[in-house]
Amino acid sequence: MNTVVKIENLVKRYKELVAVDHMNLAIEQGEIFGLLGPNGSGKSTIINCLLSLTSYDKGEITVFGEKMRADNYSVKGRIGVVLQNVAVFDELTVYENIDYFCSLYIKDKAKRKELVKEAIAFVGLEDFVKFYPKKLSGGLLRRLNIACGIAHKPELIIFDEPTVAVDPQSRNKILEGIQELNRQGATVIYTSHYMEEVEQICSRIAIIDKGQLVATGTKEELKSMIQTGETIRVEVPEMTDEVLFGLEKLSHVLSVEYNEGLATIKCSGGRHNVLHVLEYLNNTETSFGRVFAEQPTLNDVFLEITGKELRDEVQ
Amino acid sequence: MKTVFKIAKKALPAASIYFCIFCGLMIAFTFLAGKDQEKNFQATKLDILLEDKDNSVLSEALTEYLGKENEVSEDFNRELVSELIFNGVSDYVVYIEDGFEEKFLSGEQGGLERQSIRANVAFLDEKIELFFRYVRAELALGKTTEEACKAVLLNCEKQAKTVVTSDKGQSMLSPGYYFFTYISYILPAILIMVLGPIMNAYYKKEIKMRTDCGKLSTRKQNIAIVSGIAAVAMMLWGLLMIMGVCIYGRDFTVSTYLCGMFNSFLFLLVSVAISVLIGVLVRGGDALNGASNLIGMGMAFMCGVFVPSEMLPDGVNKFAEFLPASWYMKNVRMLYETDNMADVIGEYLGNCGVIAIFAVAIFCIFLVFVKRKRVV
């Protein structure tokens, strides 16, 4: 596999604040690479450094094997960018906006016309080509923003929180679109703080907190990094302390919580955990209702790795 | 460049309102001023009927005095007076009776009868009284009647140069003067309205970041923006110049028009620099509209476009020296107050240099702000 983006020892400071702290990342060709982190964790700063939109204090960034610089236009031509804030001209129509941003990469008018049409069809804005951005809903505006970023068919596409403040339908359309672009051969970098989105589309994920890379790997690899393997929830109308202690002593059980008729049992890996729990309840003649078993989510991983305390946003 | 035009096109309705209103006013002011005040002004000569029965030194001196600025007819026929007055042939009648000089010298009243036909010639009464006061003053110095009359008549010949001003104090010059004067208001006002949104759009943080991600170099992007802005500004200036020729073509001499054109071109550069600077500092249509009014009108008022600088306090005039429009206006006045441009060409070019320095200085300030905005 070819490494498309390589970030080595990247440090970016805003006066006293260290926004990116000795970051190392390697993104391979064909991946949908997720940058996951709470607000103010440094995701957008990494993207800005990667695109040479801002200078950095230390480190090196290589894209397509070339050192990334503000004047490396050949590399910039192979990158598509969908920034966090919608970047379109209010004075231009949907078509004119896509055409303008495509013209930053493609000079040939005929070719550009074709690409613009394809981009419009890709994001489903065919009925809005003559609309001005102010007439578009939040979801349509995000789709326009995406069309402006991908019209020139880039090999590497960077999506910086593209689904902020959009309705579920538009979000789904956007996520499907990103997967489709990846199937067509584009390498994607996707930043978000929505766990379910990252879990849904990313093949590899980096979790960032306070400017540092705290974990990286596939979903499965990340999930295996945390203690919680499986969470079992059992409806138990009444439970004695004796039964509660008994459950905690079962093999692979990490913790048991009982609250308002619901027992939550967290297990650390192991097999047939549900069977063992239900067998114990039967043996102790404890009546129970519905049973739910869940594998750990990225949310569990994220919270376990980054902690549950609230963060102050730093932009 | 195409995008620049598209953005400019969106700003055209607001700008064209300015353009139409002020072009209309300019034309109206020019024609009103030209017809009613300037062109129609001439020293009025009254027709005076005079009968001199005294034939003294004083009576003859008075006749000569009145004859300097009026048509005096001594072909006096008392029977025809009423008819001449009725038909409007004569405006004023003077009867100098026998013994008039003697009475005057002895300080007695009488010996002189006057008849004003119309109220607006009553000033002639005052003029005659003035003549008597002067003669008395000369006599008081010990002069003889003859010497006194001579001295008064001599003084009357030394007439001060009269500069006719309107009720506002504005010099009544050629209509073309108004054309070039109002340009100093129209140019910055319209350009802020048109170029401001272009700069707003291109230097919006998100757009700037996004375009900086593109394959097109910053230099090429800037060339495209500058070309677009230059084209828009030149189109506006060209339109105004053509309009000037069409409306005031007869009024312009070649040298006046060419010098005025060059002067206004330099002011165009200043206006463009101001507009692009405002475009990166002020965001939004309403704010730009406000800035356009504030800068356009403020500068015009302080630099003597609407109110003549002679009527403004010294402090304002001194402050206006730091505004480019005041140097532009100096040149405009010079063009229309000077018979021969060659005599003042040095001063004219000096003023042009100051305007050019203003343009460069404001553009440098703009570049500083743009550079600061470039850092994310």
Side-chain angles (χ1 to χ4, degrees), chain B residues 98-112:
Chain B
D98 192 21
F100 159 69
E101 188 183 285
E102 274 179 34
K103 282 183 181 174
F104 177 81
L105 293 172
S106 61
E108 284 179 46
Q109 295 287 325
L112 184 78

Side-chain angles (χ1 to χ4, degrees), chain A residues 14 48 51 53-54 73 76-77 81 83 85-92 96 99-101 104-105 107 132 148-149 152, chain B residues 2-3 6-7 10 197 200-202 204 206-221 374-376:
Chain A
Y14 291 109
N48 287 340
L51 293 167
L53 290 173
T54 187
Y73 297 110
K76 281 185 171 181
V81 183
L83 293 173
N85 295 319
V86 175
V88 292
F89 288 97
D90 290 334
E91 298 83 358
L92 304 184
E96 288 166 347
D99 184 53
Y100 172 79
F101 287 105
L104 297 176
Y105 304 87
K107 279 185 181 175
Y132 285 95
C148 292
H152 61 289
Chain B
K2 207 170 127 190
T3 308
K6 280 175 187 165
I7 300 169
K10 293 281 273 182
N200 266 201
Y202 276 101
K204 191 175 165 186
E206 291 80 19
I207 298 278
K208 189 80 188 80
M209 279 174 79
R210 182 63 191 83
T211 49
D212 283 349
C213 294
K215 198 182 172 184
L216 206 63
S217 69
T218 311
R219 195 176 66 89
K220 283 180 183 169
Q221 282 179 46
R374 200 174 290 160
V375 181
V376 178

Side-chain angles (χ1 to χ4, degrees), chain A residues 98-197:
Chain A
I98 302 171
D99 184 53
Y100 172 79
F101 287 105
C102 193
S103 74
L104 297 176
Y105 304 87
I106 310 288
K107 279 185 181 175
D108 187 302
K109 276 187 184 177
K111 191 182 174 191
R112 204 164 70 221
K113 197 174 174 185
E114 225 171 84
L115 289 170
V116 171
K117 276 185 181 173
E118 279 181 37
I120 288 168
F122 186 80
V123 295
L125 284 175
E126 296 96 328
D127 297 334
F128 305 95
V129 284
K130 288 185 178 172
F131 278 53
Y132 285 95
K134 280 188 178 168
K135 298 275 179 191
L136 301 179
S137 67
L140 291 174
L141 210 52
R142 287 274 166 193
R143 277 147 70 180
L144 169 61
N145 199 31
I146 291 171
C148 292
I150 60 149
H152 61 289
K153 293 208 181 293
E155 295 166 57
L156 169 67
I157 311 173
I158 297 167
F159 290 93
D160 190 6
E161 306 205 24
T163 57
V164 172
V166 298
D167 57 276
Q169 285 79 6
S170 286
R171 176 176 294 189
N172 195 48
K173 172 92 183 162
I174 290 168
L175 295 178
E176 280 177 2
I178 291 169
Q179 286 174 306
E180 179 56 30
L181 287 166
N182 180 245
R183 277 193 289 274
Q184 289 172 7
T187 303
V188 174
I189 299 175
Y190 186 88
T191 80
S192 179
H193 56 261
Y194 296 126
M195 312 297 157
E196 66 281 15
E197 284 182 6

Side-chain angles (χ1 to χ4, degrees), chain B residues 4 7-8 11 190-201 228-230 232-233 271-273 275-276 279-280 288:
Chain B
V4 172
I7 300 169
I190 292 183
L191 285 175
I192 290 171
M193 291 295 288
V194 177
L195 303 186
I198 295 170
M199 302 310 288
N200 266 201
I229 282 172
V232 171
S271 304
V272 168
S275 305
V276 293
V280 292
L288 283 172

